Amino acid sequence: MARTVWDSSVGKKTVMAVSGLVMLLYLVVHMIGNLKIFFGSGEFNHYAHWLRTLGEPFLHYEWALWIIRVALVAAVVAHATAAYQLSRRDIRARPSKYVHRKPRAGYATRTMRWGGIILGLFIVWHILDLTTGTVHPGGFQSGHPYQNVVDTFSTWYGNIVYIVAMLALGLHIRHGFWSAAQTLGAGSRTRDRALKTVANVLALLLTAGFVAVPVGVMTGVVS
């Protein structure tokens, strides 16, 4: 049954919708946590330490964090795989260009695929920068996330990469949330306007919330 559902276009769209909502929930929590940086290094570093002790003593040190990471990786892989396979299926279904041009789609709709690629590359860079420290500018300090964040956004390329990715994220959420609602049957003629409003507000708040951190470092509010 699972294979039958996965092989269908509706099944792949459902996987995309559910995995997308899982990632959206994480993004909301992650953004709120990021904003703690404006309360100083002690508050931010304490929050980062709390994430690693979450669930103790029932769970060992960092177990909860690794459970979250594994769930996120599964959601990202499922989302990207379903998106790629749906894209290939769409291309095979219409190997030649339409004789008549289709109505011009919205900017977010037309850039969903490129936005997904940008976000995928950003995730890799973000992990290598602030989790493993592999590409981190200066000296990566394990257990000192506040200083690591300041180091990253003290470079021009760190700001550009992050801000461009967050703008792509906003467009992705704006279209993706509404699309997920339609796939899961939440949309209707009476609710569509409200759903689009929620999608726009979520996209705006998340983009602004994430971008606030590099802007805070650039302006000296966070130092």
Side-chain angles (χ1 to χ4, degrees):
M1 181 180 294
R3 183 56 186 267
T4 301
V5 172
W6 173 253
D7 286 342
S8 69
S9 294
V10 172
K12 293 183 189 298
K13 289 180 180 179
T14 301
V15 169
M16 282 191 68
V18 174
S19 59
L21 292 176
V22 169
M23 290 186 287
L24 179 60
L25 177 61
Y26 167 78
L27 287 170
V28 172
V29 175
H30 187 42
M31 181 202 69
I32 294 172
N34 280 3
L35 293 177
K36 285 181 174 290
I37 200 168
F38 290 100
F39 294 93
S41 60
E43 181 81 12
F44 192 70
N45 289 339
H46 176 70
Y47 165 68
H49 177 71
W50 172 80
L51 286 176
R52 286 158 174 76
T53 59
L54 186 65
E56 289 186 343
F58 179 71
L59 298 176
H60 287 289
Y61 184 76
E62 286 195 343
W63 275 23
L65 190 58
W66 275 105
I67 290 172
I68 294 171
R69 286 170 175 167
V70 170
L72 281 172
V73 169
V76 170
V77 171
H79 195 80
T81 303
Y84 174 77
Q85 292 184 358
L86 282 170
S87 176
R88 299 301 301 172
R89 182 171 294 182
D90 184 49
I91 292 172
R92 288 195 299 268
R94 47 180 180 84
S96 59
K97 294 183 178 179
Y98 290 108
V99 176
H100 302 288
R101 290 178 64 86
K102 297 180 69 177
R104 189 174 181 84
Y107 183 76
T109 304
R110 290 185 286 112
T111 57
M112 279 293 284
R113 290 171 187 170
W114 280 110
I117 293 173
I118 291 172
L119 291 172
L121 294 174
F122 168 75
I123 290 172
V124 174
W125 175 82
H126 196 52
I127 291 172
L128 293 176
D129 177 28
L130 293 176
T131 301
T132 66
T134 307
V135 299
H136 185 74
F140 180 78
Q141 301 180 50
S142 180
H144 295 83
Y146 181 94
Q147 189 58 49
N148 293 333
V149 170
V150 171
D151 288 344
T152 291
F153 296 131
S154 294
T155 63
W156 64 268
Y157 60 86
N159 289 312
I160 290 176
V161 169
Y162 194 86
I163 292 174
V164 168
M166 293 307 101
L167 293 176
L169 176 67
L171 291 174
H172 211 76
I173 291 172
R174 180 174 178 268
H175 175 75
F177 179 84
W178 184 82
S179 180
Q182 302 304 309
T183 298
L184 297 176
S188 69
R189 184 172 299 177
T190 57
R191 290 196 292 263
D192 277 356
R193 179 174 294 182
L195 288 170
K196 288 183 177 180
T197 300
V198 172
N200 289 335
V201 171
L202 274 173
L204 180 61
L205 289 178
L206 284 169
T207 302
F210 281 117
V211 170
V213 177
V215 170
V217 175
M218 283 189 288
T219 57
V221 175
V222 177
S223 63

